[in-house]
Amino acid sequence: MASANPVERLQNEALCPICLECFTEPVSIDCGHNFCHACISRYCETWEEESPGHPIQCPVCKRKFKKNNFWPNWQLANMLENILELKTARGEDRAGPFCQHHQEQLKLFCEEDGKAICVVCRESQEHREHRVAPVEEAAQKYKTKVQQALTQLRKEMEAAKRLEAKEDRKIKEWQEKVQVQRQIIVSEFEKIRQFLTEEEKLLLEKLATEEKDFVQRVQANLTDLSEQSSALGKLIAELEEKCRKSSVELLKGVRHSLSSAETIKLREPEATPTEVKNRYKFPEHCLDMKKMLQRFKTDVTLDPETAHVCLELSKDRRGVRLGEPQRAVPSHAKRFDTYRCVLGAAGLRTGRHYWEVEVEAGDKAYWTLGVARGSLRRKGWFSMEQEEGIWAVRLIRGQYHAHTCPETRLSPSRSPQLLGIFLDCDGGSITFYEAEGMEPIFSFAAGPSFPEPLYPFFWLMCPGTSLRVCPTV
């Protein structure tokens, strides 16, 4: 239905097709359509950005026109000014919207229909039986409800964001754990491949040695049989020759020939193996990590000259305990004076080495184990990172960490009572195991090799903590 107010109908005809507001500085283009000057200018710029090289089309009729080829429509601008003056003269410039049917201000709110009405609508048959309230009063009431709803929704939004952040952290933590496990798996299978390659080489060398021994023994047997065959051939020829001679000639020396024939006896060849099939079954211990690492068991003892004054070493120099008070020991360049550390007595430069350490577990245990460069600083504070020359894991307040940057949190399936440390100097890796179940805990890949000898490294951080290296068997 058309509006009952002709001024409003006229004003609706004076809306810009782009912004749908009354024209501001109206201009016309080639096809005759009118737009706000700012609206058609932005439209042209947007067209050139999105469709470079294509002719600009009118937003209404799609006819082509040139950019900036528009001119002011003064008649339309004057008409808009007249409309505003007419509304002012009719008193329609009062604040607030008006009822489309009665041209009265919308001062009431119908609760049943949920819309604003005027006083004339209030008396109509449509709204006479409905509950109504002043617009401002109803607006205040619903504004309060909206504020309450917003408060609750904001709380829900904050809770949702906290849960979202928590789930994001779960993904990150899980990916970090997966990455640690991936490195461990790759490292472990690389060790297995190395062990299998070495075992294959060893078995092939043994097989080649046995093949050579077998061939030599058979060749000796063949030589001996050849010599016996030659002797038998000569004796046979001699007896055949006698058979062809006269009786007198046959009897001459026949007793000697017969004696030789009676005494000669074929010597059996020396016994040699007849099969090799089941003598080289694949060794089961190649897939037993514990047995494989035992091949590289290294005897580790502690160097008392490096031990901090609060550390007590056992007589066999395999055990260390953090006690109080400090011991009266001479101070020299090798001794740690700040951290309660001690190094192994022997540096490891080449080859593979494995040792096990009895450790304490639980919330009160506080220790760090691994390897360190011999050039590690002994005086003052230093960083517990690889750049400083330390590759280690630690237990603090019941939580295991690897000394990476940043630290890697570890989650072994059970707390180690026995920690295994495998150092591959040539391969440049250090791997830590829960030695009873041989579960890999963490592996460092330091590079192709280490530039200097590495020493077993022990750091005790809580009084009463003790560690002990297991002796080699």
Side-chain angles (χ1 to χ4, degrees):
M1 292 179 59
S3 174
N5 189 341
V7 177
E8 289 190 359
R9 291 203 307 271
L10 183 60
Q11 187 175 357
N12 289 338
E13 292 296 328
L15 298 180
C16 172
I18 295 178
C19 66
L20 301 180
E21 299 288 346
C22 289
F23 287 108
T24 302
E25 297 183 19
V27 295
S28 299
I29 62 175
D30 297 339
C31 60
H33 287 107
N34 301 299
F35 306 92
C36 297
H37 184 274
C39 292
I40 194 64
S41 298
R42 285 196 300 270
Y43 175 81
C44 293
E45 293 175 358
T46 303
W47 180 279
E48 290 184 335
E49 291 177 0
E50 297 181 352
S51 304
H54 293 78
I56 305 174
Q57 298 178 359
C58 172
V60 178
C61 65
K62 306 302 181 184
R63 289 182 60 182
K64 301 176 182 177
F65 71 97
K66 295 182 180 179
K67 181 182 178 182
N68 298 326
N69 190 19
F70 36 77
W71 53 92
N73 190 331
W74 301 113
Q75 289 181 334
L76 181 57
N78 293 333
M79 184 181 68
L80 289 173
E81 291 182 3
N82 292 331
I83 291 174
L84 293 176
E85 291 177 0
L86 181 59
K87 289 183 67 178
T88 301
R90 288 166 55 91
E92 294 181 2
D93 58 343
R94 294 172 293 172
F98 289 81
C99 176
Q100 294 182 356
H101 302 289
H102 308 110
Q103 303 306 310
E104 295 289 339
Q105 282 187 311
L106 301 175
K107 295 183 177 182
L108 301 174
F109 179 76
C110 177
E111 294 284 354
E112 278 73 7
D113 292 339
K115 65 179 182 178
I117 61 176
C118 69
V119 293
V120 179
C121 293
R122 174 69 179 88
E123 300 301 324
S124 66
Q125 184 68 30
E126 182 182 0
H127 298 283
R128 187 176 299 168
E129 303 298 329
H130 294 174
R131 289 189 305 111
V132 297
V135 166
E136 293 300 326
E137 181 180 329
Q140 187 61 39
K141 172 185 173 182
Y142 281 97
K143 185 176 182 180
T144 301
K145 291 184 177 181
V146 169
Q147 291 294 342
Q148 292 174 349
L150 284 173
T151 301
Q152 182 61 32
L153 290 174
R154 289 190 181 105
K155 290 181 180 178
E156 294 295 326
M157 176 65 78
E158 291 177 359
K161 289 188 176 295
R162 286 195 298 270
L163 291 175
E164 182 181 356
K166 183 178 180 181
E167 294 303 309
D168 286 339
R169 287 195 301 272
K170 286 182 180 179
I171 293 176
K172 184 177 180 181
E173 291 174 358
W174 183 256
Q175 289 176 337
E176 290 175 352
K177 291 180 180 179
V178 168
Q179 181 62 23
V180 170
Q181 290 302 315
R182 183 181 290 113
Q183 293 176 351
I184 289 174
I185 290 172
V186 171
S187 176
E188 290 306 295
F189 274 88
E190 179 60 30
K191 291 185 180 69
I192 291 174
R193 283 191 287 269
Q194 291 178 359
F195 292 146
L196 292 179
T197 300
E198 293 175 358
E199 194 67 23
E200 176 190 21
K201 181 180 178 181
L202 179 62
L203 291 178
L204 290 176
E205 289 176 352
K206 289 183 178 179
L207 185 60
T209 300
E210 291 204 11
E211 178 187 20
K212 181 178 179 181
D213 293 342
F214 176 83
V215 171
Q216 288 178 347
R217 290 166 63 185
V218 173
Q219 289 289 357
N221 289 341
L222 288 174
T223 301
D224 184 56
L225 289 172
S226 178
E227 292 175 353
Q228 293 186 70
S229 296
S230 178
L232 287 171
K234 290 181 180 179
L235 185 57
I236 290 170
E238 181 181 340
L239 292 178
E240 288 177 346
E241 180 65 24
K242 284 189 176 291
C243 288
R244 289 193 294 268
K245 289 183 178 182
S246 63
S247 298
V248 175
E249 290 294 327
L250 184 146
L251 293 173
K252 185 178 180 181
V254 70
R255 295 178 64 181
H256 179 268
S257 297
L258 290 174
S259 175
S260 298
E262 291 174 355
T263 57
I264 194 169
K265 187 176 181 180
L266 182 65
R267 296 188 302 276
E268 292 287 339
E270 183 180 351
T272 54
T274 59
E275 294 184 1
V276 294
K277 179 179 179 181
N278 295 325
R279 299 185 64 191
Y280 295 96
K281 290 183 178 179
F282 189 80
E284 296 179 359
H285 71 272
C286 282
L287 297 181
D288 187 332
M289 183 60 71
K290 184 80 170 180
K291 291 182 179 179
M292 284 194 292
L293 293 180
Q294 290 294 337
R295 295 168 52 189
F296 307 108
K297 200 72 177 290
T298 300
D299 189 22
V300 172
T301 57
L302 306 179
D303 183 0
E305 293 187 351
T306 65
H308 186 273
V309 293
C310 290
L311 297 181
E312 300 176 1
L313 273 58
S314 61
K315 291 183 178 180
D316 60 2
R317 295 183 180 178
R318 299 184 188 278
V320 57
R321 178 179 179 277
L322 176 56
E324 297 289 350
Q326 298 181 356
R327 297 175 297 130
V329 293
S331 176
H332 49 74
K334 294 177 62 177
R335 192 179 306 282
F336 290 95
D337 69 349
T338 302
Y339 290 115
R340 295 171 174 85
C341 302
V342 61
L343 297 179
L348 307 173
R349 182 66 180 269
T350 60
R352 298 171 184 160
H353 307 274
Y354 177 74
W355 64 95
E356 295 175 348
V357 182
E358 295 176 359
V359 298
E360 296 181 356
D363 294 340
K364 296 183 179 180
Y366 198 167
W367 48 257
T368 297
L369 283 173
V371 296
R373 293 175 182 169
S375 58
L376 178 68
R377 285 185 292 167
R378 315 297 173 85
K379 308 302 180 183
W381 306 96
F382 54 80
S383 172
M384 295 294 294
E385 295 178 3
Q386 300 172 44
E387 290 75 8
E388 189 77 31
I390 298 175
W391 295 265
V393 298
R394 73 171 183 174
L395 173 63
I396 174 173
R397 290 186 288 273
Q399 179 59 56
Y400 295 89
H401 296 268
H403 279 285
T404 56
C405 186
E407 281 191 342
T408 301
R409 186 169 180 173
L410 308 177
S411 302
S413 58
R414 61 178 179 179
S415 296
Q417 303 294 324
L418 194 63
L419 189 72
I421 303 173
F422 177 62
L423 169 62
D424 185 353
C425 295
D426 301 328
S429 66
I430 307 103
T431 305
F432 297 84
Y433 297 88
E434 187 281 300
E436 293 182 357
M438 292 313 297
E439 174 193 353
I441 297 176
F442 190 78
S443 183
F444 290 94
S449 61
F450 296 99
E452 60 180 277
L454 298 182
Y455 292 79
F457 176 79
F458 303 77
W459 183 21
L460 287 72
M461 293 164 274
C462 184
T465 302
S466 62
L467 302 172
R468 181 168 181 79
V469 181
C470 297
T472 57
V473 179

